Amino acid sequence: MKEICIRLKEIDKPFILIAFSKVILMKWFQRLFKDDLQVIIPFTRTTFTHLTNPKKGYTPPFGVMYYCYKMNLPKDLIFLE
């Protein structure tokens, strides 16, 4: 994941990364995005659609957040209902 984040920042295009909530506690992540990250936090755990069976959903046992780079959101921290 670290290599992906570094590459995304090098490309310098807006993106939203959906990742587990504890990634924000990782030092490399904090250093990489210390000045230009916005975060969307859903109130409930996200359910993802299965790629080969759209009727089958998956809710991970951990929370995820939406880490936004250069998205120009109205606030740096958004709680999503």
Side-chain angles (χ1 to χ4, degrees), residues 18-73:
I18 301 172
F20 57 97
S21 56
K22 290 186 178 184
V23 75
I24 203 163
L25 302 175
M26 296 177 177
K27 294 295 180 196
W28 66 264
F29 192 84
Q30 293 172 3
R31 282 191 285 272
L32 187 62
F33 295 110
K34 67 180 179 179
D35 294 324
D36 42 22
L37 188 73
Q38 296 177 301
V39 180
I40 300 173
I41 304 172
F43 282 136
T44 59
R45 281 194 281 175
T46 304
T47 299
F48 297 95
T49 302
H50 194 276
L51 291 175
T52 58
N53 183 357
K55 293 181 181 178
K56 183 178 178 184
Y58 172 71
T59 303
F62 50 83
V64 298
M65 293 185 191
Y66 301 82
Y67 300 99
C68 308
Y69 177 74
K70 290 195 167 188
M71 294 302 293
N72 297 320
L73 300 174

